[in-house]
Every structure is written in C-alpha cells, then in structure tokens.
Amino acid sequence: MWADLRPIGRNSESGGYRRFAWTGADTDCREWFKAQAETRGLTYELDRNGNQWAWLGDPTAGDAVVTGSHLDSVPDGGAFDGPLGVVSSFAALDELRSRGAKPGRPLAIVNFGDEEGARFGLACVGSRLTAGQLTVDKAHALRDAEGISLAQAMERAGYDPEAIGPDPERLARIGAFVELHVEQGRALAETPHAVGVASAIWPHGRWRFDFHGEANHAGTTRIEDRRDPMLTYANTVLAARKKARMAGALATFGKVGVEPNGVNAIASLVRGWLDSRAADEETLADVVAEIERAAVERGTRDGVDVRVTRESFTPVVEFAHDLRDELAKLLGGVPVLPTGAGHDAGILSGVIPTAMLFVRNPTGVSHSPAETAAEDDCVAGVTALADVLEGLACR
C-alpha cells in the first residue's frame, strides 16, 4: 500500500507532496482508497461531502467503530501526515482478519476530504461540513489562490457541490472514532514507546493580517517619505515570536502575499496569515491580541493601516475521557499526551466520542519532506490500532 501511494502528488524537485483538495493528485488518492476497499470486499460509500467510507458489516446498524484519517497534504508536505492513518487502518483490518476476530459492531475506514486546508485556506472542510461546523454558504464562498471556488472545484472533479452539508444521520450511526496519526512533535521520541494516546488538542486558529501602505518607486522614494507595509509586516513577525515565547504558546506567519510584488517597487499591500496555538483559550486570545497590538503600533509609526480578520478558530478539544482511558488500558499503559496540531478527530469530538493514537516521530519534523517514522514503529502502530479495534468492536 505504501509503495502504491508514494508517487502520487510527489514533487520531483522538493521531494514533498502536493495533494490538494479536488485536484488530479487528490483524485488518484481517492481511486487508491476505493480500490483498497473493493479488494477487501468492503462496502464502499461516498458521502454528501466527498468523504470516503469503507465498511465491514452493515453501515446502517449503528454503534459503529470507525478509524481512518486523510490523504491530502500541505504544500510540499511529508508522506506520513494523514496517509499513515489510512494505510494503518486497512492494515489493522487485515490484522484483525488474520487473528480470526469476529466484530460484533460494524467497522469502517474513512478518508476525510480537504483536511489540511492547503487549497482553500480552511482546515478539515470534509469533517467540518459533516459535523455542521461549516455552513454551506461559507463553504461555497471558499476560493483558492486562482479564484476558483470550492463548489467549482468539486464540480470539475465530478462531485455535486449542491449536496454538501451536515450529515447527522451518518454521525448518529458511529459509536466511536479512533484516528491514528504520526506524532507531529518529539514527545514519544523521548520515551521507549512507539505509540501514544492523545489527551487533548490545543485551541488554535488562523488570522489574516492586511498591511496597507503606498506603492512607490524603490529607487527614488526617500526613506522618510515611504509608507512601506513590508516593514510593519516584518516587525509583526518578530513580535509574534516574542509574544508566543513569553506566553508558552506558538505563533507562526507561514504564508504571505505581496502586491504589486515587484523587485523595484515598494509594496502597497502585504497580507500575512498567522497560525497561533496555546494550551488554553485565554492564553491564545491574549497572544493574538498582543500581536495585533504590536502590528497596529508599528503600523502607526510606518504610516501603514493594519486590519486583522479571524478566518478560523477551533476551541480546545478534550478527547472523550472514557474512550481515551480505555485505549490506554488496551495498550498497556502507553503515554497519554496533548498535541498542538488539529485533526478531524478534534472536529468530530463535539458530536461523537473520538480518540487518537500517535506513532513515534524520531525527529519531530512534520509538514515537511523530511517527515519520517521508522518502519518498526509504523508496524507497532498497526498492531496497536488492531488491538484497539478488537477491544472496541469484538467484545
């Protein structure tokens, strides 16, 4: 399975993956998922939001145990973020069958669409729509860098954008969702354990900072006459690092757009996107407010107008304690640890019981071509997931 997925959407220059929602690479990944389901004799379904399902047992019976993750990527992302969870789910089902396990509850594997939000700027679109956390109007209004709407992209890929929306009937049939994911950090690397259980997801969000200045000639405009938004932006990036460090939080400007974007021109507009995360919502709000205050103060000095728009926000997620504790018990006391990364399991936690397993990442690097996990640890993850599915569905 891993060998089949490896070349899909991989950039030959960077070595990273560009599997963006509703593109050719995404279609190829979806075809791979469907083939894996059919090869195993599973019932394949495509839901109203473009999420893929593979069922062992009656999909309508209720109280199902579901596992899976996503197959899309961030720009030049790594091979493991998302796909490890999907591949491990199929492998865990194979392991259950080899054990002769007899599930008493339906089992399903899911591939949630557009988890990373790399194309349309909003993470977890597939699971947000399903859970009713994203309205149809707002989904239709999402646009990529080329101005193509989510609805247009879905239609071009052969899906019906008019069908999207909340799917409470489907969620009502799920008793538990367990997502396996490569750890995006080094907590497990400091332990002898290859697998851990998630306790919570830090609250996090994305804010767009628009710095409006004045375009002018780079070679003739005196320094004192400039209204250069790049200066305000640069100072805000440094302020974000300082404010986050002081609060024990995280703040990152990882995406920027410049107009007119000329080498010999002072910019008229710099647009930067802030990703910020913290252990609690109060700290997160304080950090973002401090960053905005620093931006406005610097903008006043530079003659630059600063406008801030919150584009997304996900509150703190405490995974279902009973399910989390049961997983830890089934796996013999493995570490239980929080994460700052968002996941479909976090989105769904408000409507169904969810939990997560992490597989050790020796370097902690993620969202990068350098992302990796040892084969033995990946196999340990499959075994752990199989143990969990057997414990939940075969009792």
Side-chain angles (χ1 to χ4, degrees), residues 68-85:
S69 192
H70 64 95
L71 293 173
D72 66 315
S73 77
V74 298
D76 286 328
F80 294 82
D81 179 356
L84 180 62

Side-chain angles (χ1 to χ4, degrees), residues 99-174:
R99 295 177 184 179
K102 304 294 183 183
R105 302 166 67 180
L107 281 174
I109 299 169
V110 62
N111 168 36
F112 283 109
D114 200 5
E115 193 271 353
E116 295 290 7
R119 183 174 180 185
F120 298 101
L122 179 65
C124 301
V125 170
S127 56
R128 285 183 192 274
L129 282 168
T130 300
Q133 293 188 18
L134 175 63
T135 67
V136 174
D137 287 345
K138 288 184 177 180
H140 282 177
L142 293 173
R143 278 174 167 71
D144 66 11
E146 305 300 322
I148 299 170
S149 71
L150 173 66
Q152 290 172 322
M154 291 184 71
E155 193 167 29
R156 292 176 184 179
Y159 296 85
D160 181 7
E162 298 304 317
I164 65 174
D167 202 347
E169 292 182 2
R170 178 175 297 275
L171 293 176
R173 302 200 304 263
I174 300 174

